[in-house]
Amino acid sequence: MARARRGDAARPQHVVVPPPPHASGARPPEVPRELVPKHVAIVMDGNGRWANARGLPRTAGHAAGEAALLDVVAGAIEVGVTHVSAYAFSTENWKRSPEEVRFLMGFNRDVLRRRRDTMHSWGVRVRWAGRRPRLWRSVITELETAEELTRGNDVCTLTMCVNYGGRAEVADAAKAIAREVAAGRLDPERVDERTVARFLDEPDLPDVDLFLRTSGEQRTSNFMIWQAAYAEMVFLDEYWPDVDRRHLWRAVETYARRDRRYGGAVDRSAT
């Protein structure tokens, strides 16, 4: 597929190429399009435990997780997932040791720099959700550079959640709404769920359909608590560095078998 970038006729045409197949030759499952989740949110958990189990420092686990993220995004494209949100650094991660925080800041910056061209070639749009305060300026620069480079892509959207917290996002939205009310631009009686959604970090991000967490833990850890209100939860026992696109595909198959009722019910009693 070839597509010209809008807004700059001087730039060469951007040719989108599909990601390479998995090394094993595995192909995505044949799931009906309407049963494929549009938005998958991922808690990439278990990096430190993966490393410690091998006698390595925790930072080695984070480094090993880079390839897992790239492969999962490739698998998302192949199976038809249009949005992936990755929990890269939470507002609570500042509590970790200064050494680990420094590593994670530099690592997130360098991953964006190393992988943005690959993502761009696949037609992936990279976006950022999270707070600016405390975040390294160099990380913000790489996030914004990746956003600008890929802004015209529409094959899949990868939202990097860096210095992100679900409660922080809702609190920031509430503050913004309060400012609008105080300025007389918004009637407080007209504030509803749609209003709140408009003030979130990425207001056009669809609700999370599939919430995926690795390492055997079974909690959301303050990730996309608004968007994942009706998400289907799938928890994997594998540590994040051991995950690849095949794990995503199995989770998609699990999702496709779920009966999503959104609070409704059907009386199936015999007549």
Side-chain angles (χ1 to χ4, degrees):
M1 176 172 62
R3 181 162 44 82
R5 293 284 302 278
R6 291 176 294 179
D8 191 347
R11 291 184 180 181
Q13 188 178 46
H14 176 213
V15 178
V16 175
V17 298
H22 190 264
S24 70
R27 301 301 303 160
E30 295 184 4
V31 177
R33 186 72 178 180
E34 67 274 13
L35 297 181
V36 174
K38 293 182 177 66
H39 184 185
V40 179
I42 306 176
V43 179
M44 305 178 290
D45 196 24
N47 294 325
R49 281 168 285 167
W50 180 92
N52 290 165
R54 290 161 174 76
L56 301 171
R58 291 175 53 83
T59 53
H62 297 305
E66 178 180 348
L69 177 59
L70 195 70
D71 199 70
V72 165
V73 172
I77 293 170
E78 290 181 317
V79 80
V81 172
T82 57
H83 291 77
V84 175
S85 294
Y87 210 4
F89 189 90
S90 77
T91 49
E92 290 74 38
N93 285 157
W94 295 105
K95 300 173 185 176
R96 297 188 177 185
S97 71
E99 294 78 16
E100 187 169 359
V101 168
R102 282 195 297 271
F103 175 85
L104 288 169
M105 285 294 103
F107 180 66
N108 278 295
R109 176 196 62 210
D110 296 343
V111 166
L112 288 160
R113 185 181 298 150
R114 281 193 297 268
R115 301 299 189 178
R116 66 183 176 222
D117 288 340
T118 297
M119 294 293 179
H120 185 44
S121 71
W122 294 351
V124 175
R125 184 182 185 187
V126 179
R127 304 189 76 176
W128 166 39
R131 284 178 162 176
R132 285 179 175 267
R134 299 186 72 181
L135 196 55
W136 286 11
R137 179 65 239 180
S138 60
V139 177
I140 294 174
T141 297
E142 293 300 333
L143 285 162
E144 292 178 340
T145 299
E147 283 187 316
E148 173 59 22
L149 173 67
T150 65
R151 61 183 167 84
N153 295 339
D154 57 12
V155 173
C156 183
T157 296
L158 171 64
T159 302
M160 295 293 293
C161 299
V162 185
N163 200 23
Y164 173 90
R167 287 181 174 179
E169 182 180 29
V170 174
D172 289 346
K175 285 189 288 187
I177 291 170
R179 286 193 293 268
E180 292 295 298
V181 170
R185 293 188 292 266
L186 182 62
D187 181 354
E189 295 302 319
R190 298 179 68 85
V191 174
D192 57 15
E193 293 177 10
R194 288 174 297 180
T195 309
V196 176
R198 289 202 307 271
F199 285 87
L200 296 177
D201 286 356
E202 297 292 341
D204 57 347
L205 194 66
D207 283 347
V208 174
D209 298 304
L210 172 61
F211 190 104
L212 182 64
R213 182 173 186 146
T214 59
S215 87
E217 304 291 350
Q218 299 187 13
R219 56 182 178 271
T220 62
S221 292
N222 195 26
F223 188 42
M224 295 207 157
I225 57 176
W226 180 276
Q227 299 90 338
Y230 277 98
E232 296 294 328
M233 306 289 184
V234 174
F235 301 106
L236 304 178
D237 290 332
E238 291 83 3
Y239 295 140
W240 178 248
D242 289 329
V243 169
D244 63 27
R245 70 187 78 181
R246 295 170 296 181
H247 295 85
L248 171 68
W249 294 341
R250 287 197 289 270
V252 167
E253 289 180 300
T254 297
Y255 169 88
R257 292 193 294 268
R258 300 275 178 90
D259 183 13
R260 308 190 79 203
R261 296 186 297 275
Y262 296 98
V266 176
D267 190 348
R268 299 184 186 278
S269 60
T271 58

